[in-house]
């Protein structure tokens, strides 16, 4: 139910941002998720995005899944245009975006299992899990270009 509420809020935001005169919700598109733990709508310059943090693809033994950022069209027919950024994470556990006072934009995806080592070793210690956070810088290059760059990994 939480995932559906996030999607409804995202579509409501699109309707309000687009300036359409109606608050009626219409499903314009959908995204495939893999145990998604977070959605984040954010803007960089004139560009709108939806980031999806996927926890596990259901197949990998080490809890991996690709997390994606979709560009969003805010034209008269709003919807997702394409995946503009994708990274593989181990147990992505949410997603957030922020801007600094200087106007720099960042995307943050914390990982729950991204230890960089042996999970069995971690499970047999007092640690519950190995936590890590990946930070990406997001820069508008003018026009239609937006660049996502690995900025920092915290473990």
């Amino acid at each position: 139910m939480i995932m559906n509420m996030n999607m409804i809020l995202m579509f409501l935001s699109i309707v309000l941002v687009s300036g359409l005169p109606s608050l009626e919700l219409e499903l314009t598109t959908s995204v495939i998720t893999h145990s998604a733990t977070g959605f984040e709508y954010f803007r960089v310059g004139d560009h709108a995005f939806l980031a999806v943090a996927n926890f596990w693809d259901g197949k990998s033994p080490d809890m991996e899944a690709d997390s994606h950022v979709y560009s969003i069209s805010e034209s008269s027919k709003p919807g997702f245009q394409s995946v503009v950024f994708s990274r593989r994470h181990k147990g992505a556990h949410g997603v957030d975006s922020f801007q600094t006072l200087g106007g720099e934009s960042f995307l943050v995806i914390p990982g729950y299992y991204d230890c960089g080592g042996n999970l069995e070793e971690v499970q047999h210690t007092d640690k519950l899990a190995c936590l890590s956070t990946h930070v990406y810088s997001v820069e508008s290059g003018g026009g239609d270009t937006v660049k996502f760059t690995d900025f920092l990994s915290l473990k």
Side-chain angles (χ1 to χ4, degrees), residues 105-128:
S105 298
F106 295 91
L107 183 68
V108 181
I109 301 178
Y112 193 72
Y113 290 109
D114 198 2
C115 301
N118 186 342
L119 282 178
E120 286 185 26
E121 185 178 300
V122 171
Q123 291 168 351
H124 297 301
T125 66
D126 291 338
K127 293 185 198 177
L128 294 176

Side-chain angles (χ1 to χ4, degrees), residues 27-104:
L27 180 63
T28 58
T29 189
S30 61
V31 296
I32 296 172
T33 63
H34 298 284
S35 303
T37 58
F39 296 91
E40 175 79 1
Y41 169 84
F42 65 102
R43 299 185 65 82
V44 175
D46 293 334
H47 305 280
F49 302 98
L50 176 70
V52 179
N54 288 310
F55 187 76
W56 181 43
D57 63 11
K59 300 174 189 170
S60 68
D62 54 359
M63 302 302 286
E64 286 187 334
D66 290 326
S67 293
H68 304 292
V69 176
Y70 297 87
S71 64
I72 299 175
S73 169
E74 296 180 327
S75 64
S76 59
K77 183 162 175 118
F80 303 109
Q81 292 181 323
S82 62
V83 173
V84 294
F85 180 71
S86 183
R87 281 292 186 276
R88 195 138 182 98
H89 296 102
K90 293 182 182 179
H93 208 261
V95 60
D96 203 356
S97 65
F98 68 92
Q99 285 190 334
T100 65
L101 291 176
E104 296 173 295

